[in-house]
Structures are given as C-alpha cells and as structure tokens.
Amino acid sequence: MRNITLFSSEHHKFILLNESEPGEEDGIRSNQYLVAHGEHGVLLDPGGFGVMPRVLSELLRYIGPDSLKAIMLSHQDPDIVGGIATWLELSDAPVYVSRIWLRFLPHYGLRSMERFIGVPDEGMRCEVAPNFTLDLIPAHFLHSEGQINVYDPVSRILFTGDIGAAMMPVGNDDPFVDDFAAHLPYIEGFHRRYMASNRAARLWVEAVSELDIQMIAPQHGPVYRGAAVPAFLAWFRELECGVDLMVSAGRFRKGER
C-alpha cells in the first residue's frame, strides 16, 4: 500500500505514504505517514533504514525533506527509528519522542541529540507552523513504556503506533478496516501479548474517547474507519493482556503465549 490519501482538503492532507514490504523489515510490514499543511509537513514513524529510500521517494510527491517541520517517533523500536540518522542529514526538522528514550537513541548511531525534543509523560501540543497544530497523546505501556500517539484535529485522524496494529497475511493489501469482527483474528494475539495490562488499555481508551476520531491509523496494518473505530475502542477497553494473563514467572494462562 502506497500513497493512500486518508484526508484531503485545500490546505491539509493526511497520507499513508508507504507500507513497507515484508523483506524490507525482516517480515514485519510497517506504515509511514505524512501530515501536510500547506508547504509544511510532519513525518510520523519514518521507519527502519531499509525502507528509507522508498519513504523518501513517496514523500517527494508532496514536499521536499527541507519542508519537514517535525519528525515524530511513537516509540523506540528499530522499525521506527532505524533510519533516523539519514533523515537528520536530509532535514533540519526537530524530532519528538518520549523523554524516557532520549538516552537510548544514541545507540542508533546518532552523533548528536540536540534536535531531539523529549515529550513529557502527560503529552503536549505541538505548534508545527501557523495554523498547523498536532496533539501528542500519551499511550504508556502500549506496548512501549513511553509510547506517544499523534492526533490531527483537522483530519480527526489518530495515529496510534502499535495500538491497533495487525499482522496481516501475505497478499492481503486492504488499506482499511470496515468490518472489525472480521479483522479481530489479525490483532488479538498481538495485543494480548504485547500490551502491558488492561489498566493501561482502559486508561488510554478513556483519554482518547474525548477526541473526535474519524480514523485510527496504526503503525502496522490497515486503517480503522467508520464503525470499526468505536468497535476497536470498545474491544480494547475490556481486553485482558500482558501481566493480566500471567500465572507465575514465565507462565501464562493455558492457551496464552
């Protein structure tokens, strides 16, 4: 899936730039997004080193890297941060990431951290450019201790990182989730194992339910829209996951792994 416009108006766009191929990220397909307002843009989870050329190629359809006003990293995993050193060479954009990961990111071969901005635990509002504002929403322990989401109030799209992520079968390139029940088998196992606890899930759902959300855009798999949005939130709010499933050290309820 490449260059799928999720929202477009005269001055504002939210675009799924690229879904990496399985071979590019060692079997895990990932999404990279662009939020563009006028001549300015924000890149969400730019991806690992292997996908960087493709993401740049798709980005150039809309803006040049010198027009990026921010790069936002939902968390610290290599399929998000692995290519960041190259993006720092191409762009002067600041990079936003949870403050708790700032001391770990230099291990990705970064020479300087001066352009990194640590997002506080409670999140923050980011004034990207005049009339261009994005909200950084905390999503701690889902699955990262310091995950952040990005809400675009113009398109009303919530970028959720690994929340809502799907492990889709090879050959399935559906860009959207319309039937949540049919989609559930592709997300249930991942969320039960990789999300920390029902408490973390419930608190997040309560927070984002205050937003007007038209779409949920995860880092892996198709984008939720229409009735699939409240259906996913209702399911995730009640999900037992992570430590809820442990019965002893290294042991989970029968059938869970």
Side-chain angles (χ1 to χ4, degrees):
M1 299 187 296
R2 293 193 173 100
N3 265 291
I4 297 175
T5 300
L6 304 179
F7 176 88
S8 180
S9 66
E10 184 179 359
H11 300 293
H12 196 87
K13 297 181 186 299
F14 198 116
I15 298 156
L16 171 53
L17 280 181
N18 178 63
E19 182 193 44
S20 65
E21 300 294 338
E24 292 175 322
E25 294 288 6
D26 196 23
I28 301 176
R29 296 188 290 181
S30 60
N31 301 331
Q32 296 84 41
Y33 298 91
L34 171 68
V35 187
H37 188 86
E39 62 183 6
H40 305 304
V42 174
L43 188 59
L44 307 181
D45 280 7
F49 180 78
V51 306
M52 189 274 163
R54 172 64 70 178
V55 178
L56 176 60
S57 175
E58 302 301 329
L59 178 78
L60 290 172
R61 296 173 181 252
Y62 305 96
I63 61 171
D66 55 334
S67 294
L68 285 175
K69 293 300 180 182
I71 298 172
M72 297 183 176
L73 310 177
S74 61
H75 56 294
Q76 78 291 353
D77 282 354
D79 59 335
I80 293 164
V81 187
I84 194 64
T86 305
W87 286 105
L88 290 174
E89 293 178 2
L90 294 175
S91 166
D92 294 327
V95 181
Y96 292 79
V97 66
S98 171
R99 65 174 184 81
I100 72 171
W101 296 122
L102 290 176
R103 62 177 179 164
F104 294 91
L105 295 188
H107 293 283
Y108 284 103
L110 303 177
R111 298 177 181 178
S112 171
M113 294 295 293
E114 64 181 10
R115 285 164 54 190
F116 284 76
I117 297 174
V119 177
D121 283 346
E122 63 271 20
M124 62 184 288
R125 174 159 290 181
C126 181
E127 301 287 346
V128 179
N131 301 313
F132 186 12
T133 301
L134 297 173
D135 294 322
L136 308 189
I137 310 295
H140 302 306
F141 303 103
L142 298 171
H143 72 107
S144 168
E145 297 89 327
Q147 181 167 223
I148 58 172
N149 295 167
V150 180
Y151 178 67
D152 174 19
V154 176
S155 66
R156 295 177 290 174
I157 295 174
L158 178 65
F159 167 68
T160 54
D162 277 342
I163 301 171
M167 302 294 105
M168 304 301 292
V170 175
N172 186 321
D173 293 322
D174 293 337
F176 297 106
V177 180
D178 293 307
D179 183 343
F180 178 73
H183 188 62
L184 186 56
Y186 304 125
I187 69 171
E188 187 167 20
F190 172 80
H191 284 75
R192 288 175 71 83
R193 182 58 190 261
Y194 282 84
M195 302 296 151
S197 69
N198 176 258
R199 177 173 173 78
R202 186 177 293 263
L203 290 173
W204 176 82
V205 171
E206 290 175 356
V208 301
S209 293
E210 298 179 1
L211 305 172
D212 180 3
I213 303 172
Q214 294 298 302
M215 293 185 184
I216 290 176
Q219 194 220 348
H220 305 280
V223 173
Y224 299 77
R225 66 181 180 182
V229 171
F232 171 75
L233 294 177
W235 172 79
F236 194 48
R237 188 180 190 276
E238 303 302 323
L239 182 70
E240 290 189 308
C241 53
V243 297
D244 304 327
L245 307 177
M246 295 186 70
V247 295
S248 65
R251 297 180 65 86
F252 294 82
R253 291 182 194 167
K254 186 175 181 179
E256 304 286 351
R257 61 189 179 93

